[in-house]
């Protein structure tokens, strides 16, 4: 009779050990799965041109250009910002043609949806977007309702094209300057609205030559400066963003937690924590160059970066423009690597195909991460839109 408790204890220990083994196995499987998933989201095996003939030329006329020609036969002159809408179409800013194109989700139809094709400054709220003259639009963003926001850069303004194809003024009078905080954004002054990011009722603008970030409350319509103190310089890591200097804020990306900022002259990338309002260093030592792959992203050298895209919690992609490459920061390890373009910083075009780090780029500006795992690249001076596939 005295053995029964011992037998019970032995069974309990055996069961406990078995349970612990199951738990350890589950943890191991989870870690392996997460690691494999993360790798599948950050490694790319092929690069392919999906739009642009590689030649410059005049803009297409409004309407579907590819009813007669494939998108890869159409001239797109210096494609910069690229963004998907809810249907999987890609919205493309053609910087030197002063227009915006839409590439269909099946990538067979290219359509001019905004801009006249001539450099200019025109358009009031309610006008048909294809009758609105723009001047080197650098960036496009799309909200949940498929409104297309456009950074009409050299016109120092931001506008919107709604689902019906009508233009709406959002921020900036078109006049160069710095003014308007606390007042309606449409009456504000900016100096080269280079990039934008939108999330819900908040629109952020990289006011390049004013070295600051402006925020437009899309509900009230008012504008405010949230980063940049009017001076040119390097921010202090961990300090309040509103008190810091910036050095050429050229591109923005956004997720629920952070606003990511690319500093062109600063050769670095930073993020503003949207909860605390503090700014944090992410990548780039500030020195111009091309080195650091496989090491801490904060210590690497960039050269005039001009674009960014984020896969939240997984990776940050950087258009390292003057290095003619796309760099990636693993957000779990903070290690940097080159994922497309020559690791030697060589410009050019040597075709599409496998091994993207053997395929040359020329001053890429736009990068756009898609939930499918693809990365879209505005290979600007090759006048092509290209896709990196896992």
């Amino acid at each position: 009779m005295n053995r029964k408790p011992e037998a019970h204890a032995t069974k309990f220990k055996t069961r406990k050990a078995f349970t612990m083994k199951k738990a350890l196995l589950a943890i191991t499987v989870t870690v392996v799965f997460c690691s494999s998933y993360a790798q599948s989201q950050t490694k790319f095996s092929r690069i392919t041109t999906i739009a642009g003939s590689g030649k410059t030329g005049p803009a297409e006329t409004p309407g579907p250009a590819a009813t007669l020609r494939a998108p890869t036969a159409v001239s797109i002159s210096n494609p910069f910002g690229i963004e998907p809408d809810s249907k999987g179409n890609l919205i493309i800013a053609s910087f030197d043609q002063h227009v915006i194109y839409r590439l269909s989700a099946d990538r067979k139809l290219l359509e001019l949806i905004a801009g006249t094709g001539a450099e200019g400054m025109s358009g009031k709220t309610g006008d048909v977007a294809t009758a609105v003259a723009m001047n080197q639009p650098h960036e496009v963003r799309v909200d949940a309702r498929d409104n297309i926001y456009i950074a009409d850069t050299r016109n120092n303004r931001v506008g919107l094209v709604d689902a019906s194809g009508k233009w709406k003024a959002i921020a900036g009078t078109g006049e160069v300057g710095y003014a308007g905080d606390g007042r309606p954004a449409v009456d504000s002054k900016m100096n080269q609205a280079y990039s934008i990011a939108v999330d819900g009722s908040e629109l952020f603008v990289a006011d390049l030559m004013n070295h600051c970030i402006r925020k437009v409350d899309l509900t009230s319509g008012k504008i405010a400066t949230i980063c940049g103190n009017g001076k040119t310089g390097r921010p202090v890591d961990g300090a309040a963003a509103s008190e810091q200097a910036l050095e050429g804020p050229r591109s923005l990306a956004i997720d629920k937690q952070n606003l990511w900022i690319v500093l062109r002259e600063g050769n670095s990338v930073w993020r503003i924590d949207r909860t605390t309002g503090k700014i944090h260093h992410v990548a780039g030592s500030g020195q111009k160059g091309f080195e650091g792959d496989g090491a801490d992203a904060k210590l690497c050298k960039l050269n005039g970066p001009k674009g960014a895209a984020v896969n939240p919690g997984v990776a940050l992609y950087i258009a390292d423009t003057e290095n003619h490459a796309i760099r990636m920061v693993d957000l779990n390890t903070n290690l940097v690597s080159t994922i497309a373009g020559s690791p030697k910083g060589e410009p050019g075009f040597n075709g599409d195909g496998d091994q993207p780090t053997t395929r040359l780029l020329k001053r890429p500006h736009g990068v756009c991460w898609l939930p499918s795992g693809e990365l879209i690249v505005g290979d600007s001076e090759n006048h092509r839109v290209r896709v990196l596939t896992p």
Side-chain angles (χ1 to χ4, degrees), residues 265-349:
E265 285 80 10
N267 296 299
S268 56
V269 181
W270 300 71
R271 65 177 177 87
I272 297 176
D273 187 309
R274 297 175 67 189
T275 302
T276 67
K278 293 184 177 181
I279 192 167
H280 301 278
H281 184 205
V282 177
S285 66
Q287 292 183 305
K288 185 184 294 187
F290 193 0
E291 62 181 52
D293 281 359
D296 187 342
K298 293 180 182 179
L299 304 178
C300 79
K301 291 183 181 180
L302 305 172
N303 189 359
K306 295 180 177 69
V310 63
N311 177 359
V314 178
L316 176 73
Y317 302 99
I318 304 166
D320 194 359
T321 305
E322 307 307 336
N323 281 329
H324 314 285
I326 306 300
R327 314 286 288 276
M328 183 196 77
V329 178
D330 185 316
L331 295 179
N332 294 297
T333 65
N334 209 49
L335 300 180
V336 68
S337 60
T338 297
I339 60 169
S342 168
K344 297 179 181 180
E346 181 184 358
F349 180 78

Side-chain angles (χ1 to χ4, degrees), residues 123-137:
K124 61 182 184 299
T125 295
D127 285 352
V128 175
T130 51
V132 174
M134 295 186 284
N135 189 353
Q136 295 189 319

Side-chain angles (χ1 to χ4, degrees), residues 175-312:
E175 186 178 352
V176 173
Y178 176 70
D181 280 0
R183 300 198 297 273
V186 290
D187 298 326
S188 68
K189 293 180 183 178
M190 294 182 283
N191 191 349
Q192 296 188 23
Y194 244 92
S195 185
I196 49 179
V198 63
D199 184 40
S201 62
E202 295 181 327
L203 173 73
F204 300 89
V205 184
D207 193 348
L208 178 68
M209 299 307 293
N210 284 325
H211 300 284
C212 69
I213 308 299
R214 318 283 289 271
K215 183 178 81 170
V216 179
D217 183 319
L218 295 173
T219 302
S220 68
K222 294 185 177 180
I223 194 170
T225 298
I226 64 161
C227 185
N229 60 12
K231 300 178 181 179
T232 303
R234 184 180 176 87
V236 175
D237 194 2
S242 59
E243 301 171 0
Q244 299 308 298
L246 292 178
E247 202 168 11
R250 185 61 174 260
S251 184
L252 302 176
I254 198 166
D255 58 33
K256 292 299 180 183
Q257 184 62 37
N258 300 294
L259 179 68
W260 306 81
I261 305 171
V262 174
L263 301 184
R264 178 186 64 181
E265 285 80 10
N267 296 299
S268 56
V269 181
W270 300 71
R271 65 177 177 87
I272 297 176
D273 187 309
R274 297 175 67 189
T275 302
T276 67
K278 293 184 177 181
I279 192 167
H280 301 278
H281 184 205
V282 177
S285 66
Q287 292 183 305
K288 185 184 294 187
F290 193 0
E291 62 181 52
D293 281 359
D296 187 342
K298 293 180 182 179
L299 304 178
C300 79
K301 291 183 181 180
L302 305 172
N303 189 359
K306 295 180 177 69
V310 63
N311 177 359

Side-chain angles (χ1 to χ4, degrees), residues 55-222:
K55 298 178 182 179
T56 60
E60 296 295 320
T61 56
T67 51
L68 300 176
R69 291 180 293 157
T72 52
V74 176
S75 170
I76 301 178
S77 190
N78 257 310
F80 279 17
I82 304 166
E83 181 89 345
D85 65 16
S86 66
K87 301 177 182 65
N89 304 310
L90 293 176
I91 311 303
I92 303 165
S94 182
F95 188 72
D96 286 343
Q97 291 175 330
H98 317 289
V99 299
I100 309 299
Y101 289 107
R102 178 169 55 216
L103 180 64
S104 61
D106 62 8
R107 299 174 184 172
K108 294 180 178 180
L109 186 69
L110 189 70
E111 183 177 8
L112 190 153
I113 60 171
T116 63
E119 177 185 322
M121 167 71 176
S122 69
K124 61 182 184 299
T125 295
D127 285 352
V128 175
T130 51
V132 174
M134 295 186 284
N135 189 353
Q136 295 189 319
H138 181 274
E139 192 71 89
V140 287
R141 297 293 186 224
V142 182
D143 69 14
R145 294 177 291 179
D146 281 342
N147 292 311
I148 301 167
Y149 292 81
I150 302 170
D152 188 5
T153 301
R154 301 291 182 179
N155 281 334
N156 312 296
R157 65 177 180 174
V158 178
L160 173 155
V161 178
D162 65 21
S164 70
K166 298 294 181 64
W167 174 266
K168 181 180 179 181
I170 299 295
T173 62
E175 186 178 352
V176 173
Y178 176 70
D181 280 0
R183 300 198 297 273
V186 290
D187 298 326
S188 68
K189 293 180 183 178
M190 294 182 283
N191 191 349
Q192 296 188 23
Y194 244 92
S195 185
I196 49 179
V198 63
D199 184 40
S201 62
E202 295 181 327
L203 173 73
F204 300 89
V205 184
D207 193 348
L208 178 68
M209 299 307 293
N210 284 325
H211 300 284
C212 69
I213 308 299
R214 318 283 289 271
K215 183 178 81 170
V216 179
D217 183 319
L218 295 173
T219 302
S220 68
K222 294 185 177 180

Side-chain angles (χ1 to χ4, degrees), residues 3-23:
R3 294 179 181 175
K4 289 183 178 178
E6 292 178 6
H8 176 75
T10 300
K11 287 181 180 179
F12 176 75
K13 288 178 182 178
T14 302
R15 189 182 303 117
K16 184 177 180 181
F18 179 70
T19 302
M20 289 179 67
K21 285 181 180 179
K22 285 177 66 179

Side-chain angles (χ1 to χ4, degrees), residues 13-35:
K13 288 178 182 178
T14 302
R15 189 182 303 117
K16 184 177 180 181
F18 179 70
T19 302
M20 289 179 67
K21 285 181 180 179
K22 285 177 66 179
L24 288 171
L25 179 61
I27 292 170
T28 302
V29 170
T30 300
V31 170
V32 171
F33 173 79
C34 290
S35 176

